[in-house]
Amino acid sequence: MNVETESAGDLPHENYRCGAVALVGRPNVGKSTLLNALIGFRLSIVSPRPQTTRHRILGIATSEAGQVMYVDTPGLHRGAKRAMNRSLNRAARTAMAEVDLAVQLIEAGRWTDEDEALYAALVEQNVPRLLAINKVDLAKDKGALLPFVAELTARHQFEDIHYVSALKQKGLKELESAILKRLPVRPPVFGEDEITDRSERFLAAEMVREQLMLRLDQELPYATTVEIEQFTDREDGVAEIHAIVWVERDGQKAIVIGQGGAQLKAIGSAARRHMERLFERKVFLKLWVKVREGWVDDEAMLKKLGYTD
């Protein structure tokens, strides 16, 4: 997203700030939870599994002080051999190149090779960066964080360091303040009531995929994706949505459907409830499960599904 080409008029006041901020980190470190907490809305899907986020998600937080466009990015995947993983890496790196600031999120007390690779990518892009140490509420010995941070900052340069719990929403006010003061003086890009630039069609697919991530065992969720075939607002005010759950093998299809269709029904019911809260209207959701062998390595299929730019 290039915010420099967009404008929403005059500055609301002389020190109004507006800019794009990438939330970056290795998979499953809490980026989506942090995004949702910062914008005060459950926008980005969350599950305990790594690689939940597959797309760049823009979440908009507007206040009297300014407008922050947070970009939740897929985690960088080392040794990405499959086409989809390479696509996720491209999405993450592109986001780094298009923002005014990056917040690197790490887990309290842990700095892995993946964290190091991500830091190197930020340095390469010459992006101003803050460090947010997440899950501090889970650290048994908080005093042990001090030498960890001292060693980390001796070898890495960050403009500021923040201790947060995205899940418990601790330390976020200070992080927000640090972000805003580093953004340029610029008019808002979006209206004050807007929370994302993503369509309801895209969000519907994500909410179905979230339920797949939450309800299916082990590696199966990574072999699934969701395509919205139809999204129609009927005359009675109901949003009618038809979606395909794509899997790679017939055995996976049987698992997603479940005995007597029970699993697919549970996935659809939970996704529909989330959609109705988000879209603020009734939803009629119909799901099908189809097999497309090797879709995660099919560049044409990935493009169709929105995984490539």
Side-chain angles (χ1 to χ4, degrees):
M1 175 185 178
N2 185 354
V3 298
E4 293 183 4
T5 62
E6 304 178 54
S7 175
D10 297 330
L11 288 170
H13 55 76
E14 64 179 15
N15 197 37
Y16 192 91
R17 307 277 171 157
C18 177
V21 178
L23 303 178
V24 300
R26 58 181 167 80
N28 210 33
V29 78
K31 299 182 298 295
S32 297
T33 302
L34 179 60
L35 170 71
N36 292 341
L38 288 168
I39 69 172
F41 196 85
R42 193 176 182 276
L43 173 66
S44 197
I45 69 173
V46 176
S47 88
R49 303 180 186 278
Q51 302 181 31
T52 298
T53 302
R54 290 181 178 173
H55 304 270
R56 282 181 288 165
I57 307 292
L58 183 73
I60 305 158
T62 303
S63 66
E64 185 177 336
Q67 184 174 87
V68 186
M69 295 166 284
Y70 292 106
V71 185
D72 182 14
T73 63
L76 282 178
H77 304 266
R78 302 184 72 206
K81 296 179 180 179
R82 310 200 76 172
M84 188 177 71
N85 295 114
R86 293 194 295 271
S87 172
L88 300 186
N89 282 350
R90 286 195 298 271
R93 291 182 181 277
T94 299
M96 294 179 205
E98 294 181 345
V99 296
D100 300 289
L101 180 70
V103 176
Q104 182 170 3
L105 194 65
I106 67 169
E107 191 174 339
R110 293 190 64 198
W111 180 267
T112 70
D113 290 344
E114 289 175 296
D115 295 317
E116 187 67 40
L118 186 51
Y119 174 81
L122 290 173
V123 172
E124 182 182 340
Q125 294 289 350
N126 198 29
V127 183
R129 52 201 173 269
L130 307 181
L131 178 67
I133 302 175
N134 193 26
K135 305 181 183 180
V136 293
D137 55 310
L138 301 180
K140 293 180 180 178
D141 182 8
K142 293 181 172 54
L145 288 177
L146 297 178
F148 164 75
V149 172
E151 181 183 354
L152 185 61
T153 54
R155 296 180 289 110
H156 304 83
Q157 292 185 328
F158 294 97
E159 294 193 5
D160 209 349
I161 299 170
H162 292 268
Y163 300 86
V164 304
S165 169
L167 188 62
K168 303 290 186 181
Q169 300 193 19
K170 303 292 187 182
L172 301 190
K173 294 291 186 185
E174 294 81 2
L175 177 60
E176 288 175 294
S177 177
I179 288 169
L180 270 167
K181 73 179 185 182
R182 288 173 171 83
L183 296 181
V185 173
R186 181 190 289 155
V189 173
F190 294 94
E192 63 181 40
D193 294 329
E194 294 182 83
I195 58 166
T196 187
D197 63 343
R198 289 292 194 173
S199 67
E200 289 184 336
R201 190 184 189 99
F202 171 86
L203 296 172
E206 286 288 274
M207 280 179 271
V208 175
R209 194 168 63 80
E210 180 178 40
Q211 293 307 312
L212 293 168
M213 298 291 291
L214 291 172
R215 293 171 182 272
L216 299 179
D217 293 332
Q218 303 303 321
E219 297 301 315
L220 185 55
Y222 307 119
T224 65
T225 194
V226 179
E227 179 183 10
I228 302 298
E229 270 204 322
Q230 176 184 323
F231 194 123
T232 306
D233 279 312
R234 303 189 320 210
E235 290 184 0
D236 61 1
V238 175
E240 182 169 340
I241 302 169
H242 297 181
I244 298 173
V245 177
W246 288 102
V247 297
E248 292 191 287
R249 296 189 296 274
D250 286 327
Q252 296 167 346
K253 177 178 178 178
I255 294 171
V256 174
I257 293 173
Q259 188 172 2
Q263 180 73 281
L264 189 63
K265 182 178 179 180
I267 289 167
S269 295
R272 177 183 52 78
R273 289 193 295 270
H274 285 303
M275 291 178 199
E276 289 181 338
R277 285 196 292 269
L278 182 59
F279 302 155
E280 298 182 333
R281 58 192 187 278
K282 290 290 184 182
V283 169
F284 173 81
L285 175 64
K286 181 68 175 177
L287 298 179
W288 290 267
V289 185
K290 295 185 179 182
V291 178
R292 178 69 174 262
E293 187 175 347
W295 71 264
V296 293
D297 280 316
D298 186 335
E299 295 280 4
M301 183 71 169
L302 291 172
K303 185 173 184 179
K304 177 186 177 185
L305 293 168
Y307 286 106
T308 58
D309 296 329

